[in-house]
């Protein structure tokens, strides 16, 4: 029994002397571990008379528990000391820069394109991709552009040869769809277009468009207006409405230009809408019956609508960007302004 | 086109203010671009779409306003006179003193003329001059001014010839003979193509029909007698001719957009009336009028069911009929449908839906409600090609890259891929004539533009090579992998291993495990490049650009660049992950250090270890590579770590040591010695 008491006292003395958590941990192993001194004492129990064994075992367990408490108390004290010392040695300055990981940044035009995609996919449209280097057949002929017609004037075209052009709009995807599918369908595309124009702040020979169209039974201009309304509200907020005014594109009849009520001033008039309360967004209309007939689609059974708009317009309006050329200059000082 | 409001009000009676008129024009399809002030009051500057040549005049605009809102805009007496052709009463007679012969009636369906004697080219009245100035035209003399005035008012271009300068006092409308040329009013000697229509006198061409007059027959200070031309020419031929000559005039602009063939004599009459008023000169009695091909106007059936369906709003039949009539159509009713015949000035109204548009336009698009299409329920989504591009972009963003978008057009670059290129016939500049065959030159330009900072850039876009247009992914890595920070000044710069790690991870994100092979592309460092493959297909490459190439492009010498063919990636089937149970038992790490010939590829060592270790090997990685002191020449020392774990129980130390022993023996079989 005295052995136990002696051991506890010796241990207690050492524990209270321990000056680091590491030393304390070592002590704990030395006394209470699997090969520690208390385990050694326990082995001595074998040599005792049978009647003394229970009392010895009980005293040993109590002593162990006592020592564990002493060690825990010492550990708590040491932790506290440690912390106090650390705080004193490491003054905290949260204004110093943190260590940052690299975050990928989508191009501002991709951000706009992604929003457009999400809105149109939500309205049941399917995204397809068609060539940038396009056949004259799809870019003009199949879209009802009459040869030698003034409608070609705003389509200054880059030619590769007599049959191939850089697409001047994304609309040629219509002909490719008509050749491969039968109605009903709702399809859209987004991509680069090219026009042979002098480059300045507001013009570029390369720009991006989105074009969508649907053909089904009973499709009307009301559906066009409803779809554009839903699309515009997805893009610009819940209060936006759509206005049509007559316009002309050879591939639609009737043809309209569509504008949205200015989401930036709620129609009051501001710089973005040039004080008019309306922002012209793109062209639209009912798919021309000439085109449907060219692809053997019964125009009495099927009608369709189509619309298109420029992608650059969206960040230009939203962020008040005043120079179209910036989009493809890729200066990170520009791109990094539009985190996503 | 510019018109003064006061001129318009000569044709329509209205109390609408200028901006209200402007708004009405916009809602009719003639977008008001701006409103100007002039000494004659407000000027409307509006756009006319190319299908509506008939609106390029006061008359046309007045007609549209009256059709849109008959209560607000009423025709004046002058408008009624105009509709009646400003008749002088002598139109049935043939003028004496000159002749007109049309040899090509297809290109000139109608040619009319009036003759004037003793009309001196004095200044025109202030009223005429004022209107021309306000509408953006320069007054010259009464003859030229009146032709312009009538063109603005009625849309019919007129041309005045000095009658005394026309050989044989004769106009012949024909195509040029071989070798004929013409000096136009702008003083340029023009070569004439065989398809151009010419106005000639008895001997030679005197004007390019519908485009520009000739210098030799021009009205001058000494002109006394006039032949005034008013004609209808084939719009396509005018367009081809003026494009071939590189000329565009107010006359050709209108002829290209269709001029009313029925308005030919009216314009001659209007000119005569205005000249009489301003100068007192009377025209020679009678007209010269060769009307070989009057236009055919076919009636179209216009069904109420059709316009209600297409417009999505009910327009009463009476309103539809009234509207079409107000636009000049002849309208009858037949079995519950309208039968509409368009007026002579509307060549654009051909089929039912053309009339439906007119009905909707006049009824007002603002009355069309919003509704969403019902019927077939369709699933929106992305087809595989754009879906893969989107996914690759997302993957690159996850890998910390910034997206750039570069031009399709460019010049030759040392970073171009080898192969057949596409060249533009009419580039904006000679250095923008080639379609890009690789995304690398654009990325290098981005790196040069943003020099002086770490760059991790990518672009996903179309490239054009060897007759293919296909989507590609290009990337550039240059500079420190981690942002510079006061606690970590020694972050390594992007190198071949970083590029390989990135591409490898990209393959994982796309669920198409990539393989890598040595490569020998001339754009890259011989030993610092790799070919990327998957499923046996070559997908692309990456590497460190040659120093001389990098230097020429102002890119950091240690920049890593690469490019992958997304179409090729799409053709590699995507792996579907299969779930494996997760072992709850603890893992044991065992390390192996060895020396081995540098010629033995690491992949061989790894597969040997995998095979020897068996199912308890969870992960294997290379944690150390060393060569130099203490290692034999031609060898290096490698440290390979294994993480071992048993799926069903706790692995013992002895078992782990056994695995290591087996692995070591497999490595020794490949020539490794333990260290
Ligand atoms: Zn606004």
């Amino acid at each position: 029994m005295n052995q136990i008491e002696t051991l506890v006292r010796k241990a207690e003395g050492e524990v209270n002397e321990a000056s680091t958590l590491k030393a304390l941990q070592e002590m704990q192993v030395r006394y209470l571990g699997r090969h520690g001194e208390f385990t050694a004492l326990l082995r001595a129990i074998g040599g005792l008379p049978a009647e003394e064994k229970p009392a010895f075992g009980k005293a040993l367990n109590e002593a162990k528990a006592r020592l564990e408490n002493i060690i825990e108390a010492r550990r708590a004290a040491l932790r506290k000391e440690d912390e106090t010392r650390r705080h004193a040695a490491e003054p905290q300055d949260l204004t110093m820069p943190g260590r940052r990981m690299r975050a990928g940044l989508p191009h501002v035009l991709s951000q706009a394109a992604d929003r457009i995609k999400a809105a149109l996919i939500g309205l049941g449209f399917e995204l397809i991709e068609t060539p940038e280097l396009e056949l004259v057949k799809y870019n003009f002929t199949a879209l009802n552009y009459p040869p030698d017609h003034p409608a070609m004037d705003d389509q200054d075209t880059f030619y590769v040869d007599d049959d191939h052009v850089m697409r001047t709009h994304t609309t040629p995807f219509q002909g490719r769809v008509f050749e491969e599918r039968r109605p009903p369908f709702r399809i859209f595309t987004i991509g680069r277009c090219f026009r042979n124009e002098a480059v300045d702040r507001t013009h570029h020979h390369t720009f991006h468009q989105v074009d969508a169209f649907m053909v089904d039974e009973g499709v009307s201009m009301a559906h066009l207006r409803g779809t554009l309304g839903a699309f515009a509200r997805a893009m610009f907020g819940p209060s936006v409405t759509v206005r049509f005014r007559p316009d002309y594109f050879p591939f639609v009849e009737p043809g309209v230009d569509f504008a949205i009520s200015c989401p930036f001033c709620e129609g009051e008039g501001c710089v973005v809408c040039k004080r008019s309360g309306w922002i012209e967004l793109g062209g639209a209309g009912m798919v021309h019956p000439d085109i449907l007939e060219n692809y053997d689609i019964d125009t009495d059974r099927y009608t369709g609508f189509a619309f298109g708009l420029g992608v650059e317009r969206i960040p230009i309006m939203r962020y008040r960007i005043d120079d179209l050329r910036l989009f493809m200059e890729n200066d990170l000082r520009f791109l990094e302004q539009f985190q996503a | 086109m510019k018109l003064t409001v006061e001129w318009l009000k000569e044709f329509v009676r209205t109390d609408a203010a200028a901006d209200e008129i402007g708004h009405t024009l916009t809602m009719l399809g003639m977008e008001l671009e701006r409103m100007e002030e002039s000494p004659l009051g407000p000027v409307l500057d509006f756009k006319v779409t190319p299908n509506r040549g008939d609106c390029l005049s006061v008359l046309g605009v007045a007609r549209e306003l009256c059709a849109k809102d008959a209560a607000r805009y009423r025709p004046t007496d002058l408008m009624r006179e105009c509709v009646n052709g400003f008749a002088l009463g002598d139109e049935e007679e043939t003028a004496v003193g000159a002749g007109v012969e049309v040899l090509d009636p297809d290109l000139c369906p109608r040619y009319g003329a009036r003759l004037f004697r003793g009309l001196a080219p004095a200044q025109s009245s202030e009223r005429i001059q004022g209107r021309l100035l306000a509408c953006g035209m320069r007054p010259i003399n009464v003859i030229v001014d009146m032709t312009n005035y009538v063109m603005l008012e009625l849309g019919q271009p007129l041309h005045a010839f000095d009658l005394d300068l026309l050989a044989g006092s004769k106009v012949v409308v024909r195509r040029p003979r071989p070798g004929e040329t013409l000096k136009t009013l702008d003083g340029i000697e023009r070569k004439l193509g065989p398809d151009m229509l010419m106005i000639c006198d008895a001997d030679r061409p005197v004007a390019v029909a519908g485009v520009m007059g000739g210098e030799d027959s021009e009205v001058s200070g000494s002109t006394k007698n006039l032949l005034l031309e008013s004609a209808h020419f084939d719009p396509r031929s005018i367009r081809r001719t003026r494009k071939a000559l590189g000329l565009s005039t107010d006359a050709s602009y209108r002829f290209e957009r269709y001029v009313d063939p029925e308005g030919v004599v009216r314009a001659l009459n209007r000119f005569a009336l205005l000249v009489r008023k301003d100068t007192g000169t009377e025209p020679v009695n009678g007209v010269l009028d060769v009307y070989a091909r009057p236009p055919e106007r076919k009636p179209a059936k216009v069904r109420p069911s059709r316009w209600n369906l297409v417009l999505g709003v009910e327009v009463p039949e009476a309103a539809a009929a009234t509207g079409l009539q107000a636009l000049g159509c002849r309208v009858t009713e037949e079995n519950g449908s309208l039968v509409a015949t368009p007026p002579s000035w509307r060549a654009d109204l051909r089929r039912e839906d053309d009339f439906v548009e007119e009905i909707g336009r006049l009824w007002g698009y603002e009355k069309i409600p919003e509704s969403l299409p019902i019927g077939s329920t369709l699933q929106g989504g992305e087809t595989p090609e754009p879906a893969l591009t989107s996914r690759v972009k997302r993957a690159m963003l996850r890998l910390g890259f910034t997206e750039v978008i570069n031009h399709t057009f460019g010049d030759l670059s040392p970073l171009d891929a080898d192969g057949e290129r596409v060249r533009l016939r009419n580039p904006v500049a000679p250095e923008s004539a080639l379609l890009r065959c690789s995304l690398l030159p654009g990325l290098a330009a981005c790196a040069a533009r943003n020099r002086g900072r770490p760059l991790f850039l990518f672009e996903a876009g179309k490239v054009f090579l060897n007759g293919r247009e296909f989507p590609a992914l290009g990337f550039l890595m240059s500079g420190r992998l981690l942002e510079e920070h006061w606690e970590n000044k020694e972050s390594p710069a992007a190198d071949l291993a970083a590029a390989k790690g990135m591409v490898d991870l990209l393959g994982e994100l796309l669920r198409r495990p990539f393989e890598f092979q040595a490569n020998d592309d001339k754009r890259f460092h011989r030993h610092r490049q790799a070919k990327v493959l998957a499923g046996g297909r070559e997908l692309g490459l990456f590497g460190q650009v040659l120093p001389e190439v990098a230097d020429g492009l102002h890119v950091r010498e240690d920049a890593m660049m690469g490019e992958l063919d997304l179409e090729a990636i799409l053709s590699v089937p995507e792996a579907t992950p299969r779930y494996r149970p997760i072992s709850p038992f603890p893992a044991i790490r065992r390390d192996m250090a060895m020396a081995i010939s540098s010629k033995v590829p690491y992949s061989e060592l790894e597969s040997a270890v995998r095979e020897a270790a068996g199912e308890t090997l969870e992960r294997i990685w290379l944690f150390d590579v060393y060569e130099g002191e203490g290692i034999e020449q031609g060898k290096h020392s490698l440290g390979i770590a294994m993480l071992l774990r048993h799926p069903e129980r706790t692995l013992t130390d002895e078992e782990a040591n056994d695995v290591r022993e087996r692995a070591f023996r497999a490595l020794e079989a490949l020539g490794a010695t333990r260290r």
Side-chain angles (χ1 to χ4, degrees):
Chain A
M1 289 294 192
N2 279 344
Q3 285 172 288
I4 297 175
E5 202 48 39
T6 316
L7 186 59
V8 169
R9 240 178 258 134
K10 177 177 157 234
E12 190 176 357
E14 282 180 33
V15 164
N16 287 329
E17 296 280 288
S19 59
T20 65
L21 285 163
K22 194 165 170 254
L24 187 67
Q25 179 64 31
E26 281 164 13
M27 251 169 243
Q28 188 167 17
V29 172
R30 184 144 42 82
Y31 286 102
L32 302 171
R34 208 142 44 107
H35 307 289
E37 298 197 24
F38 273 86
T39 313
L41 267 189
L42 187 64
R43 278 193 201 110
I45 209 168
L48 287 177
E51 65 277 13
E52 283 180 26
K53 278 182 186 174
F56 187 82
K58 190 170 170 245
L60 191 63
N61 280 335
E62 276 170 10
K64 255 177 99 170
R66 221 165 74 229
L67 184 57
E68 264 162 15
N69 283 339
I70 292 166
I71 290 174
E72 274 322 307
R74 182 65 190 150
R75 181 172 279 130
L78 281 176
R79 280 220 175 98
K80 194 150 191 174
E81 269 175 42
D82 235 32
E83 217 169 283
T84 318
R85 210 175 319 122
R86 241 199 337 265
H87 278 182
E90 297 174 11
Q92 186 192 37
D93 181 1
L94 272 178
T95 65
M96 281 180 149
R99 206 197 296 263
R100 288 155 58 108
M101 307 301 286
R102 248 187 8 253
L105 171 65
H107 192 283
V108 62
L109 285 177
S110 286
Q111 295 177 35
D114 286 347
R115 288 173 57 99
I116 293 171
K117 279 185 207 169
L120 289 178
I121 288 172
L123 285 163
F125 286 77
E126 189 181 1
L127 175 65
I128 68 162
E129 231 164 67
T130 60
E132 293 172 5
L133 172 55
E134 187 53 283
L135 288 164
V136 170
K137 174 174 105 169
Y138 293 114
N139 198 74
F140 294 123
T141 322
L143 290 174
N144 219 16
Y145 277 83
D148 298 309
H149 191 274
M152 306 275 277
D153 278 357
D154 48 351
Q155 305 271 340
D156 294 310
T157 310
F158 287 114
Y159 281 89
V160 168
D161 55 40
D162 287 346
D163 299 323
H164 294 85
V165 296
M166 299 310 291
R167 64 176 175 194
T168 56
H169 45 184
T170 37
T171 324
F173 87 125
Q174 281 191 12
R176 292 181 173 272
V177 170
F178 277 125
E179 277 183 4
E180 282 175 13
R181 306 192 189 197
R182 305 303 291 171
F185 45 65
R186 304 181 191 187
I187 303 197
F188 76 109
T189 192
I190 299 190
R192 287 179 191 219
C193 306
F194 310 87
R195 287 188 196 169
N196 197 341
E197 287 193 1
V199 174
D200 61 27
R201 291 174 93 82
T202 54
H203 297 87
H204 211 296
H205 56 63
T206 303
F207 55 97
H208 295 74
Q209 268 191 350
V210 52
D211 237 274
F213 79 126
M214 83 169 281
V215 177
D216 202 342
E217 291 177 20
V219 174
S220 76
M221 286 182 82
H223 297 132
L224 171 60
R225 194 167 177 201
T227 302
L228 282 171
F231 170 71
R233 286 186 283 277
M235 295 294 295
F236 301 104
S239 64
V240 170
T241 56
V242 171
R243 182 182 86 173
F244 285 165
R245 70 169 176 78
D247 203 344
Y248 168 73
F249 307 97
F251 42 91
V252 284
E253 184 75 28
V256 299
D257 164 292
F258 67 94
I260 54 164
S261 58
C262 181
F264 303 102
C265 63
E266 307 273 326
E268 294 288 308
C270 67
V271 278
V272 182
C273 59
K274 299 193 192 92
R275 315 256 155 241
S276 72
W278 293 94
I279 297 173
E280 277 178 18
L281 218 53
M286 301 299 289
V287 177
H288 204 294
D290 287 356
I291 296 178
L292 295 176
E293 276 171 10
N294 282 344
Y295 293 102
D296 293 322
I297 293 168
D298 178 355
T299 55
D300 271 332
R301 181 168 171 203
Y302 288 108
T303 46
F305 65 66
F307 61 88
L309 64 151
V311 176
E312 280 83 352
R313 279 294 303 267
I314 290 165
I316 281 178
M317 277 172 8
R318 189 178 294 273
Y319 306 124
R320 317 277 203 272
I321 296 166
D322 62 358
D323 191 337
L324 203 53
R325 292 169 294 196
L326 290 166
F327 288 118
M328 293 178 87
E329 277 174 4
N330 299 304
D331 193 318
L332 293 176
R333 292 169 301 172
F334 171 73
L335 297 179
E336 285 173 351
Q337 292 177 31
F338 314 105
Q339 284 294 346
Chain B
M1 146 149 216
K2 286 188 194 176
L3 286 183
T4 61
V5 171
E6 53 85 35
W7 198 348
L8 208 47
K9 285 189 173 176
E10 246 181 40
F11 281 72
V12 282
R13 201 166 58 235
T14 180
D15 50 13
D19 51 354
E20 190 192 332
I21 297 175
H23 178 73
T24 308
L25 289 184
T26 296
M27 295 323 274
L28 275 163
M30 286 172 273
E31 190 195 0
L32 185 74
E33 292 203 286
R34 71 186 78 74
M35 188 90 81
E36 288 172 11
E37 270 307 314
S38 79
L40 297 176
V43 182
L44 303 167
D45 188 353
F46 56 95
K47 265 202 284 215
V48 175
T49 53
N51 58 328
R52 293 303 304 274
D54 63 298
C55 289
L56 292 166
S57 63
V58 179
L59 168 64
V61 172
R63 210 154 38 200
E64 287 278 306
L65 289 172
C66 294
K68 176 74 183 172
D69 190 344
R72 197 121 179 79
Y73 303 98
R74 312 193 69 85
T76 59
D77 290 345
L78 185 67
M79 175 84 159
R80 271 189 277 271
E81 267 180 68
C82 178
V83 171
N84 292 328
F86 290 119
L88 300 184
D90 64 349
E91 288 82 8
E92 296 303 312
E93 297 166 49
T94 301
V96 178
V100 169
E101 203 179 332
V102 177
L103 299 182
D104 200 325
D106 288 331
L107 300 190
C108 178
R110 187 172 193 183
Y111 193 96
R114 269 191 185 275
L115 308 179
F116 295 83
R117 295 205 179 272
L119 178 59
Q123 279 214 329
S124 52
S125 68
E126 237 169 75
R127 194 180 68 111
I128 302 289
Q129 290 199 26
R131 279 190 174 167
L132 291 179
L133 279 169
C135 298
M137 297 193 100
R138 200 162 50 89
I140 295 168
N141 60 49
V142 71
I143 299 170
V144 177
D145 292 357
M146 287 306 186
T147 60
N148 285 332
Y149 187 93
V150 172
M151 177 179 72
L152 289 177
E153 191 176 77
L154 304 179
Q156 171 70 55
L158 299 175
H159 187 71
F161 294 98
D162 186 327
L163 181 54
D164 301 320
L165 297 176
L166 292 178
S169 299
K170 192 175 177 187
V171 161
V172 183
V173 186
R174 60 167 171 84
R175 299 190 194 205
R177 299 187 184 115
E180 277 185 333
T181 58
L182 173 70
K183 196 184 247 184
T184 41
L185 281 175
D186 49 14
I188 299 172
E189 188 80 31
R190 305 277 179 177
K191 280 206 185 75
L192 306 173
D195 290 331
M196 296 178 179
L197 187 67
M198 308 308 297
I199 310 298
C200 308
D201 62 13
D203 302 334
R204 67 214 155 108
V206 293
V208 184
V211 181
M212 194 178 262
E215 209 174 53
D216 293 347
S217 59
E218 193 184 354
V219 171
S220 68
S222 55
T223 298
K224 291 186 192 67
N225 303 316
L226 281 190
L227 181 143
L228 182 72
E229 163 198 294
S230 176
H232 175 83
F233 298 114
D234 173 58
R236 287 159 141 211
S237 139
I238 297 293
R239 181 176 168 84
R240 277 198 297 266
T241 301
R242 74 103 178 134
K243 286 197 89 163
L245 294 175
L247 268 176
S248 182
T249 58
D250 290 318
S252 70
Y253 191 82
R254 283 171 174 78
F255 283 124
E256 260 183 59
R257 285 161 176 73
Y258 200 85
V259 164
D260 182 5
E262 291 295 317
V264 160
V265 173
R266 171 173 63 198
L268 293 171
N269 293 350
R270 182 63 172 155
F271 182 94
L273 286 172
L274 290 165
V275 159
R276 176 200 282 161
K277 194 171 166 204
D278 259 31
T279 69
T281 310
E282 290 289 339
V284 171
N285 205 40
V287 296
L288 299 164
D289 183 10
V290 181
Y291 198 177
R293 300 260 196 284
E296 264 183 75
R297 290 286 178 260
K298 288 201 193 91
K301 189 154 108 179
V302 190
R303 297 162 294 169
S305 59
R306 181 69 182 177
W307 76 65
N308 288 333
L309 163 67
V310 169
L311 298 173
V313 62
E314 294 245 340
V315 182
E317 203 174 323
T322 313
L324 292 179
Q325 275 162 347
L327 291 171
C329 298
R330 212 168 56 240
V331 180
T332 57
E333 218 195 296
E334 212 173 85
N335 304 327
S337 288
L338 301 181
V339 177
T341 311
S344 57
W345 58 88
R346 293 295 300 271
D348 61 314
L349 299 180
R350 288 182 304 110
R351 57 183 298 166
E352 188 177 26
D353 283 4
D354 297 328
F355 293 91
V356 168
E357 173 171 55
E358 296 304 275
I359 292 168
R361 202 165 62 90
L362 296 182
W363 185 245
Y365 289 155
E366 70 282 358
K367 298 197 185 91
I368 295 174
E370 277 197 19
S371 84
L372 283 174
I374 47 165
S376 325
T377 305
L378 297 162
Q379 174 70 55
E382 292 181 75
T383 49
E385 192 185 300
L388 181 77
T389 305
S390 304
R391 189 163 158 197
V392 166
K393 283 188 185 187
R394 279 196 304 275
M396 291 306 285
L397 294 170
R398 286 166 70 187
L399 292 165
F401 282 67
T402 289
E403 187 190 9
V404 294
I405 297 183
N406 286 294
H407 284 294
T408 302
F409 307 139
D411 205 352
L412 289 170
S413 159
L415 288 175
D416 285 339
D418 273 338
E420 193 196 315
R421 305 287 297 271
V422 182
R423 182 178 288 277
L424 292 181
R425 209 157 67 181
N426 56 335
V428 275
E431 65 274 14
S432 305
L434 288 170
L435 303 198
R436 62 181 178 183
C437 64
S438 160
L439 299 174
L440 301 183
L443 284 159
C446 291
R449 171 175 283 276
N450 295 288
R451 231 171 334 170
R453 50 183 288 183
L455 294 169
F456 295 84
L457 305 176
F458 80 96
E459 176 171 13
K462 296 285 193 75
V463 295
F464 304 79
L465 187 65
N466 294 326
R468 276 175 76 212
E469 171 181 344
F470 60 97
L473 166 74
F475 65 88
L476 178 144
M477 308 166 75
S478 143
R480 293 166 181 277
L481 293 172
L482 293 175
E483 233 179 52
E484 189 175 355
H485 190 263
W486 48 275
E487 277 190 331
N488 186 0
K489 298 195 180 74
E490 295 304 317
S491 166
D495 56 6
L496 189 73
K500 183 191 161 174
M502 190 281 285
V503 176
D504 201 23
L505 195 44
L506 176 67
E508 273 182 39
L509 296 182
L510 300 178
R511 290 183 179 166
R512 288 166 173 94
F514 290 164
E515 298 139 39
F516 301 85
Q517 276 180 14
N519 197 36
D520 59 353
D521 191 285
K522 64 180 183 357
R523 294 170 285 178
F524 299 99
H525 246 282
R526 226 166 40 154
H527 296 299
R528 298 188 192 147
Q529 59 170 304
K531 191 186 287 182
V532 185
L533 305 97
R537 246 201 102 151
E538 200 169 321
L539 307 179
L541 77 184
F542 62 88
Q544 183 180 333
V545 176
L546 286 178
E548 58 268 32
V549 173
D551 201 41
L553 296 166
H554 309 289
V555 173
R556 258 176 75 137
E557 258 186 38
D558 60 359
M560 302 300 303
M561 300 185 82
E563 189 162 29
L564 300 173
D565 178 340
L566 296 185
E567 205 170 74
I569 292 182
L570 189 60
S571 73
V572 176
E574 183 180 343
T576 309
R578 176 74 50 85
Y579 159 75
R580 286 186 310 269
I582 299 166
S583 165
F585 301 99
I588 298 178
R589 173 174 169 168
R590 284 291 179 270
D591 290 355
M592 297 175 289
M594 76 213 75
I596 189 163
S597 158
S598 324
K599 291 221 166 59
V600 182
Y602 171 74
S603 62
E604 277 183 29
L605 304 180
E606 188 180 309
S607 17
V609 170
R610 280 185 188 282
E611 200 179 321
E615 62 162 356
T616 56
L617 179 65
E618 184 171 287
R619 206 150 70 78
I620 172 170
W621 69 101
L622 181 64
F623 69 90
D624 188 41
V625 180
Y626 170 78
E627 58 196 282
E629 215 175 316
I631 305 293
E632 216 178 299
Q633 191 75 30
K635 288 192 172 184
H636 54 187
S637 154
L638 301 180
I640 294 176
M642 297 183 292
L643 195 70
L644 306 170
R645 196 196 304 267
H646 198 280
E648 279 145 15
R649 58 184 170 76
T650 303
L651 207 61
T652 64
D653 282 342
E654 292 68 30
E655 285 172 313
N657 293 341
D658 278 353
V659 172
R660 175 163 59 184
E661 191 52 34
R662 284 205 304 274
F664 250 139
R665 272 192 226 119
L667 291 169
E668 280 163 348
L670 294 169
T673 47
R674 303 185 194 203
R675 292 192 75 230

